[in-house]
Amino acid sequence: MKLGINGMGRIGRTFFRVLWQNKALEQLKVINDIMPKTHLIYLLQYDTVRGNLGVKINETAGGIEVNGHTIEVHQHDRPENIPWGKAQVDTVVEATGIFTKKADLEAHLRAGVKRCLLTTSGGTDIPLYIEGVNEADYQKEKIFSIGSCTVNGTAPLVKALQDFSPRSLYVNVIHAYSSRQNILDSYYPELRRTRAAADNIIPLHINLDLSLQRLFPGMKDHISSITSRVPVPCGVLADMTFMLATPPASSAQMVEHLKQKQQQMARIMQVTHDPIVSSDIINDPHSLTIDGEFVQVMDNHVKLMVWFDNEWGFSNRLYDWSNRLNNIE
């Protein structure tokens, strides 16, 4: 497997670290990002959330070198101009957050890759596959999405509750601030995003409900979602309230059900009874961790609180997909 990454923001750089941790960095052949190479090296080496990479990154004439492995680095602003084919890249991870339409992603194929993996949900014309939900349905499409961190952090739980016939879902994704917010009050097209991220709880609209309805069409028009951005640099607590057609008899019964599902989705989902807080979830590779202390059943409603590291968990799903695609080759 020969990988390329387009876009070295939080997800691109975290995926780089996951590859390094799993001794799989040799798979990465090409990086493309418009930032200067000196800045790329610095941001890969040092990270406020993750710490020092622990190995020296050296600059080369055409890229970077890490522990004897050389990676090409390019700075093209359009997918069609990136020399994927020349480097014989098989799969490109599209992580800019900019090129999310199918027409843009097809440009990667014209540039020489076999397939393009999108790190956000994309449009309905782009197949969506989520680990723990429908990854077995993958049909070897050349362009597909593995969703976002929030889809991966919530969809497996919706899947786990199908035994109770969920009828509706309300989700508030209490989410770390992101680079699309301002550190101080400043202009942004969306009014609430003009406010200082480190000093406010900021509610925003998100499209999580649309992605979940694609995955669970039986719940179409019965899923609602918002996000509340809070002053932490990483970590998510998703507050999920389901209405069930056939609810369990008690909260304890629901916990036992979730523990059984945990055994079936060991890499994806876990249940904890530890009194954790957001910093405790940092660097956890699971897509989601259910807080067992806050499983609440009332009549036909169940409230669940779900933790996840919005960068590390998702980047581990990227790594899972790179392994799956390698086995398909």
Side-chain angles (χ1 to χ4, degrees), residues 19-300:
L19 289 171
W20 169 252
Q21 183 188 70
N22 286 279
K23 298 180 173 58
L25 194 61
E26 290 76 12
Q27 295 179 12
L28 182 58
K29 303 301 180 182
V30 178
I31 287 172
N32 186 77
D33 194 285
I34 60 173
M35 79 171 86
K37 200 187 325 181
T38 52
H39 289 64
L40 173 65
I41 291 172
Y42 180 77
L43 289 171
L44 287 173
Q45 185 79 64
Y46 302 103
D47 190 277
T48 301
V49 174
R50 312 291 165 196
N52 193 318
L53 182 63
V55 63
K56 180 68 174 176
I57 301 177
N58 299 304
E59 183 174 358
T60 67
I64 59 175
E65 180 268 325
V66 186
N67 200 35
H69 173 59
T70 300
I71 302 167
E72 290 183 27
V73 174
H74 299 279
Q75 294 173 295
H76 298 287
D77 61 359
R78 293 293 307 173
E80 59 267 26
N81 297 328
I82 307 168
W84 304 123
K86 185 177 180 181
Q88 298 182 316
V89 169
D90 301 306
T91 300
V92 61
V93 173
E94 173 49 62
T96 63
I98 298 172
F99 304 111
T100 61
K101 295 181 179 179
K102 190 172 183 179
D104 292 325
L105 304 179
E106 287 172 341
H108 286 302
L109 303 183
R110 293 195 298 273
V113 298
K114 295 179 181 178
R115 64 183 70 85
C116 178
L117 190 160
L118 179 62
T119 61
T120 188
S121 293
T124 56
D125 57 343
I126 299 173
L128 176 63
Y129 296 110
I130 303 298
E131 290 278 339
V133 178
N134 67 339
E135 71 276 13
D137 296 335
Y138 175 60
Q139 299 296 314
K140 300 184 180 180
E141 291 95 340
K142 293 182 178 180
I143 295 173
F144 67 99
S145 165
I146 66 162
S148 64
C149 64
T150 52
V151 179
N152 280 268
T154 55
L157 183 54
V158 181
K159 176 76 170 182
L161 294 191
Q162 291 303 300
D163 294 341
F164 301 108
S165 302
R167 290 292 177 258
S168 65
L169 168 63
Y170 295 91
V171 188
N172 181 11
V173 182
I174 305 165
H175 195 296
Y177 54 65
S178 74
S179 59
R180 290 182 59 215
Q181 292 178 252
N182 293 320
I183 192 169
L184 293 172
D185 287 6
S186 183
Y187 172 77
Y188 197 91
E190 189 176 352
L191 286 176
R192 291 186 197 265
R193 289 185 188 267
T194 65
R195 307 304 298 278
D199 294 286
N200 292 287
I201 298 172
I202 303 176
L204 298 168
H205 296 287
I206 53 173
N207 293 323
L208 172 62
D209 50 327
L210 301 180
S211 297
L212 292 177
Q213 289 176 63
R214 286 182 62 188
L215 295 166
F216 305 98
M219 299 180 72
K220 182 175 173 57
D221 299 325
H222 293 282
I223 301 177
S224 179
S225 62
I226 64 167
T227 184
S228 299
R229 296 299 174 90
V230 294
V232 296
C234 189
V236 171
L237 177 62
D239 182 343
M240 305 177 68
T241 302
F242 293 84
M243 184 176 73
L244 308 175
T246 56
S250 65
S251 299
Q253 184 179 338
M254 174 59 78
V255 170
E256 287 306 309
H257 173 80
L258 293 171
K259 287 182 177 179
Q260 292 175 13
K261 294 297 182 181
Q262 170 185 267
Q263 296 175 6
Q264 300 169 18
M265 295 190 284
R267 291 180 302 99
I268 307 301
M269 186 177 82
Q270 65 177 350
V271 180
T272 184
H273 289 277
D274 293 341
I276 63 173
V277 296
S278 61
S279 60
D280 300 320
I281 207 69
I282 303 302
N283 292 328
D284 190 295
H286 293 86
S287 294
L288 65 150
T289 296
I290 301 162
D291 197 316
E293 185 176 345
F294 293 104
V295 175
Q296 301 176 58
V297 174
M298 181 182 294
D299 298 326
N300 63 341

